Amino acid sequence: GVITASGTSSFTTTTAGDDITLDQISSFTGAVSLNTNAGAGSDASLTNAAIALDLGASTIGGSLTAETNAGSITDSGILTVGGTSSFTTSTANDDITLDQVSLFTGAVSLATNGATGDIGVTNVGQALNLGTVTTTLGGALVVETNVGSITDSGVITASGTSSFTTT
């Protein structure tokens, strides 16, 4: 069902192979933490968020999918993802800003739209594999790792300025 949470939210599974699937049009005004078992196949998916989404500290053994119908996606906690990651904003000019020292093991795919729908993935704590990345109509793309290389395994379509930095 629909979830309307006015504070922080935390969703956890402990058994290998169990998933978190939140796919109703819900609203989370505080940070949302998603934690699954460390085993592969323990995925987390939060889609159809009705407003901006703040991802809190989360550890996902499998893949992570985060999508908003309206509002930007940010992270206030470190994300540790054992599988692939996908972040999508649907409304024009909403941003994706992931700036914690996160660890993404699999390919990271990101998509925004609109003239100012920017993507920033910075302070990544290990090598980063970019999957399919799309900004449309002028959105900027900024990617930075603190440790490790930046590679791509998908098509990158950046219609605005792009910056790739390893430190």
Side-chain angles (χ1 to χ4, degrees):
V2 173
I3 299 171
T4 301
S6 59
T8 59
S9 304
S10 180
F11 302 90
T12 302
T13 63
T14 56
T15 305
D18 284 352
D19 299 328
I20 298 170
T21 303
L22 305 171
D23 59 4
Q24 299 298 307
I25 299 175
S26 297
S27 300
F28 303 93
T29 56
V32 179
S33 296
L34 306 165
N35 295 286
T36 67
N37 185 280
S42 298
D43 303 328
S45 175
L46 196 162
T47 58
N48 290 319
I51 61 174
L53 179 62
D54 175 18
L55 295 170
S58 300
T59 301
I60 295 109
S63 297
L64 169 63
T65 302
E67 179 259 330
T68 63
N69 290 341
S72 297
I73 298 174
T74 59
D75 62 348
S76 60
I78 294 172
L79 305 176
T80 303
V81 183
T84 60
S85 302
S86 175
F87 304 91
T88 304
T89 59
S90 299
T91 304
N93 304 320
D94 287 336
D95 302 325
I96 298 171
T97 305
L98 305 175
D99 59 4
Q100 300 297 312
V101 182
S102 293
L103 305 171
F104 301 103
T105 300
V108 178
S109 297
L110 308 117
T112 62
N113 66 70
T116 61
D118 299 330
I119 296 173
V121 181
T122 57
N123 292 321
V124 177
Q126 68 185 32
L128 179 64
N129 175 8
L130 294 172
T132 301
V133 178
T134 305
T135 65
T136 60
L137 302 175
L141 172 62
V142 176
V143 179
E144 173 200 310
T145 61
N146 291 344
V147 178
S149 302
I150 299 169
T151 59
D152 65 339
S153 60
V155 175
I156 298 175
T157 305
S159 56
T161 60
S162 298
S163 169
F164 302 90
T165 306
T166 60
T167 57

